[in-house]
Amino acid sequence: MRASLRQRMIEVCQRKIAQKGEGVGVSFYAFFANRNDDPELLMEAATWWIQTQRLDHFEKARKIIALVEAMK
């Protein structure tokens, strides 16, 4: 997964935690605008989320941060 996507995922998860608390859940759609302006990047995130990690639709933001940071 490209570094820019990993960074975006961490930033979004941290922002969601700051806004809604430690137990907040996110889906991979949280990392994108409401319109599909970068289908390749969306598919990259979806592939990592669904096929590589086998995550549920919603997962705890802390879990996503830990998974992404383990990739570095």
Side-chain angles (χ1 to χ4, degrees):
M1 182 187 320
R2 58 185 98 167
S4 61
L5 180 55
R6 288 194 310 264
Q7 185 62 37
R8 181 188 298 185
M9 293 172 87
I10 290 170
E11 289 171 0
V12 168
C13 285
Q14 289 173 336
R15 186 171 58 245
K16 295 281 187 185
I17 291 167
Q19 291 171 344
K20 298 186 178 188
E22 288 292 324
V24 69
V26 295
S27 79
F28 67 88
Y29 290 113
F31 311 119
F32 299 93
N34 285 337
R35 65 188 192 294
N36 188 3
D37 57 355
D38 191 343
E40 279 187 32
L41 193 60
L42 178 64
M43 286 306 298
E44 189 174 329
T47 299
W48 178 82
W49 191 282
I50 297 166
Q51 290 182 325
T52 305
Q53 299 298 321
R54 301 197 181 276
L55 299 172
D56 290 335
H57 185 75
F58 281 95
E59 293 287 349
K60 301 294 183 193
R62 280 279 175 222
K63 178 179 181 177
I64 301 306
I65 292 171
L67 289 171
V68 171
E69 287 179 340
M71 296 173 60
K72 293 181 180 180

